[in-house]
Every structure is written in structure tokens, then in C-alpha cells.
Amino acid sequence: MGKMNRNVITAGAILLLCAVLGMFAVHRFVAAEGERDLQQWQVRLGIVAASRAQAVLDWRDQQFSTLSGLADNLSLQLYLTELSLSSGQSDAITDQSAQAEYLGNLLLVTADQSGFSTPVTGFEVQANVKRIALAGLALLDRKGEILVTTPGTPPLDSRLHDFVRATKMGSRGVLDIYTGPSGQATIAFLQPVFAVQGENRPADQVGAVLGIRTVDDGLFSRLKQPGETLKTGQTYLVRTAGATVEYLSPLADGTKPLQRSLALDTPHLAAAALLRQTGGFGVFANFQGKQVVATSRGIHGMPWTLIRSVDRAEALAPSDRRQMILLIGLWLVIAAVTAVVIAVWRHGSSVRVTTAAEGLRQSNAQLQTVSDFLRVVTDSQPTAIA
């Protein structure tokens, strides 16, 4: 009896172990399916992020291309070269007024065609009402002083003066997005102008072209993915600002550019994590605290990081549902197999018990027959039996 109990316990333990191992294998399989779905989203989001990052980079290059076209203009180079040779004395320049007028018209036409021109805000009245200049092109001499500007060009405040002075001679520069006088996101570009027949060395720089413009739909429209099908898909630009992450572009909740910043140590924040590891991917919390699947790409030559995200609920809901169905189905299979094994074992045990009981009954019957026979014999014997 003890041996039978040990056998039953051993068989039960083996069956339980097999069931546990089966459930573990099911969880591993379902988890692998989830990882595979995440990898597919990594590829999908990465393609969009890379294309939008390239579009932003193209926009930046387009601005420099506009300024380079001016810097390579022979008349402009000749004017600045003469001015440099005369130590800044404009009176020494041949046809100074005519050249200045020509350059002013050149800057004006270029500004209108390239987006470096924005109507001045405020009413044009004969009163002491300050009107706000937003964008324009300016021609600077070697010392960074303004020579010619387009109408509506903002004055060179301390920020712009510091930007011009801080840019190395012979190099072009970008004044990163900042809040302009009207509250709009604004950016500035600086392109050096070299002397006629110069070799584009720092010593050959005779001036610069400064372009100031608002960062409007010209840039932000490039963040939108053509043919977007995701309801919660977002693409936005961020940068590090001290101990915070600053959102440079409009957000889906209506937040305007430069109007939101969050601490870099915010737990699980997508922007903070993807700024630290540009090109990374994972499940994070966005600026609204929602769970999102996101990846990032850097913008070459700019302190910006582009983030592409989609709400986890939209991205992985079909995957989660499929995994749950798969998990429950496999659990039911394991449960069914376990139940069948137990039923077979119980049936086999019942058959063995029934067979043993039948054998015992037959043995008892034979013993009873022999006992009855001996009793008849002994009872029928008239003499004593010693």
C-alpha cells in the first residue's frame, strides 16, 4: 500500500512539473510574439522618423542655400570687398548709392521668394505706436554692422549681436529657435561673404548675410507624414535646455512651439530618454503621461532631436488581443491534456483495482469451497479422527 502511494505521488509530481513547464513555454512563446510585433513597429516608426528628419534637414539646407546664393552674388561680393579695402569708408566705393540700392532690391526680392519676409505686425498710423518686425535679410560688414536690410527686418538686439560675434570667421552659423518679439518661434542664419577672388579662408571674409525668419509651417509642416493613417501618430522636435527638455514644435494637444518643457529626470519620459539615446526605441510616457511607442532621430548640425511616437493602445492593441487569445488557447490545451492524462490514469487505476478485486473474490470463493468440502468430510466421519 505504501509503495502504491509513493508511485501515485511521484506520478502526480511529474504531471504537475510537466504542466508548469508547459505554461512557462507558453509564456515565453507569447512574449516572443510580442517582441516580434514591437520590432515591426520599430521598423515602421524608424522609417517615418528618418524621412521626417531628412525633410527637416532639407529645410535647413534650403535656408542656407538662399543665403549662399546671395553670398555668391558677384555684385554683393564686389561691394563688400571695396568696403573692406576702404576700411569701412562707404564714400570710397564706386557708385555707392546705386550699388546700395541694387543690393537692397536684391535682398528684398530674395526675401519675398524664400520666406525671409513677414508683414510687420501692428497698425501703420501716424502715432507713437511701435510696430514689431519679425523677419528679413540683412547685409553686414566685416565688423558685423548692418549695411543694407529689407523692410521689416528686426533690429540687432543683444541676442543677435552676440550670435554674430560668436560665429567664427569664415563659418556659417545658426541661432537656434527662440521666442521672437511677437511671441513667435524665430530662427536666424548667418552666411559669410568672401572677397572677390578670395579662397574662402577666414581672412578672406569681408562681410556676412544675416537671415531672420519665423519658424512657421515652412518647417513644422515637414513634420507631418504624407498619407498619415495613425490616429495618434505624432512627430515633434525637442532639445535640451539646461535640466529640462524643451518642445520646439506644436504638439497634438494644442501646445504652441516653445511653450512646454519638462524635467529631464521625469520618469519614463519619452523625450528625455530618446534625447539621451538618439535613435533609441521603446515604450515610454509622452508629455501627457500616456503610454507610447516611440523612436528618435538626430538632425545633423542642429541641437534638435526628432521624435516619432504612437499611442501604445493604438499600436499594440491588436497584438495584445492576439497574444491573450493565444495564451488562453494554449493554457486550455495544457489543461485539456492534463485532464486527459489524469482521466486515463484514473481509468487505468480503476481497471487494475477491479481486476485485483475480481481475483481476490475468486480466491475467496475457492477457499470457501475447500472449507465447505472439509467440513462435510469431517462431519460425515463416524469414527474419531486423530
Side-chain angles (χ1 to χ4, degrees):
M1 187 66 178
K3 182 178 181 181
M4 181 178 293
N5 288 337
R6 286 195 298 271
N7 290 338
V8 171
I9 293 173
T10 301
I14 293 175
L15 182 61
L16 179 61
L17 178 62
C18 290
V20 171
L21 291 177
M23 289 184 178
F24 177 74
V26 165
H27 276 284
R28 289 291 301 272
F29 176 73
V30 172
E33 287 292 312
E35 290 295 330
R36 189 176 298 110
D37 291 334
L38 267 179
Q39 289 178 359
Q40 292 176 356
W41 274 103
Q42 180 178 3
V43 173
R44 183 175 176 180
L45 293 178
I47 292 174
V48 175
S51 68
R52 295 306 90 208
Q54 185 59 49
V56 171
L57 190 61
D58 290 343
W59 179 86
R60 186 208 65 176
D61 292 343
Q62 182 180 343
Q63 312 313 307
F64 275 121
S65 177
T66 298
L67 300 187
S68 296
L70 288 172
D72 292 337
N73 182 277
L74 185 59
S75 296
L76 188 147
Q77 289 180 327
L78 182 60
Y79 179 84
L80 290 178
T81 300
E82 288 188 69
L83 185 65
S84 177
L85 293 175
S86 63
S87 301
Q89 300 297 322
S90 58
D91 296 339
I93 299 177
T94 306
D95 296 330
Q96 192 276 335
S97 59
Q99 290 195 55
E101 182 179 358
Y102 167 77
L103 294 177
N105 292 332
L106 176 63
L107 293 180
L108 181 59
V109 171
T110 304
D112 289 339
Q113 293 177 346
S114 60
F116 283 95
S117 176
T118 302
V120 178
T121 61
F123 296 101
E124 187 174 358
V125 296
Q126 297 296 327
N128 188 22
V129 178
K130 184 177 181 181
R131 306 180 70 204
I132 302 175
L134 304 178
L137 292 173
L139 183 62
L140 310 180
D141 63 13
R142 183 179 175 83
K143 297 178 181 180
E145 300 298 329
I146 292 179
L147 299 175
V148 183
T149 66
T150 58
T153 301
L156 293 189
D157 56 13
S158 59
R159 184 200 306 269
L160 290 169
H161 269 299
D162 292 342
F163 163 60
V164 172
R165 294 192 190 99
T167 304
K168 294 181 179 180
M169 297 294 289
S171 302
R172 63 185 188 181
V174 179
L175 177 58
D176 201 4
I177 297 177
Y178 63 95
T179 302
S182 65
Q184 292 181 278
T186 307
I187 192 170
F189 300 88
L190 188 68
Q191 177 70 34
V193 179
F194 297 98
V196 177
Q197 297 181 348
E199 298 181 2
N200 294 352
R201 297 174 302 180
D204 295 329
Q205 182 175 342
V206 292
V209 179
L210 175 66
I212 306 169
R213 64 170 300 160
T214 55
V215 185
D216 48 16
D217 289 341
L219 172 61
F220 296 144
S221 63
R222 294 172 180 253
L223 299 177
K224 299 178 182 179
Q225 174 65 15
E228 178 70 87
T229 58
L230 297 174
K231 295 180 180 179
T232 58
Q234 296 186 62
T235 308
Y236 50 92
L237 294 172
V238 296
R239 71 181 175 197
T240 303
T244 66
V245 51
E246 192 171 19
Y247 294 81
L248 304 179
S249 56
L251 301 176
D253 62 353
T255 302
K256 295 182 179 180
L258 300 176
Q259 296 301 308
R260 175 169 292 177
S261 60
L262 296 172
L264 278 170
D265 57 0
T266 303
H268 311 298
L269 182 64
L274 295 174
L275 269 171
R276 288 191 293 265
Q277 187 178 5
T278 303
F281 170 82
V283 179
F284 308 97
N286 69 356
F287 50 87
Q288 294 175 300
K290 295 181 179 179
Q291 289 290 306
V292 295
V293 182
T295 188
S296 67
R297 293 294 184 271
I299 308 299
H300 180 69
M302 303 293 291
W304 304 341
T305 297
L306 181 143
I307 295 178
R308 172 67 176 177
S309 70
V310 61
D311 284 6
R312 188 191 184 284
E314 180 181 5
L316 298 179
S319 174
D320 291 342
R321 186 165 52 251
R322 185 173 64 254
Q323 292 175 46
M324 183 58 65
I325 294 173
L326 186 61
L327 186 63
I328 294 175
L330 292 176
W331 275 0
L332 290 176
V333 170
I334 292 175
V337 171
T338 303
V340 169
V341 171
I342 292 175
V344 171
W345 174 75
R346 285 179 60 85
H347 178 71
S349 299
S350 177
V351 170
R352 287 194 300 272
V353 170
T354 302
T355 302
E358 180 64 22
L360 183 60
R361 188 188 63 79
Q362 292 178 2
S363 297
N364 288 336
Q366 291 176 357
L367 288 174
Q368 187 65 38
T369 300
V370 172
S371 177
D372 292 343
F373 172 73
L374 291 176
R375 185 178 295 110
V376 171
V377 170
T378 55
D379 291 345
S380 303
Q381 180 65 34
T383 58
I385 299 176

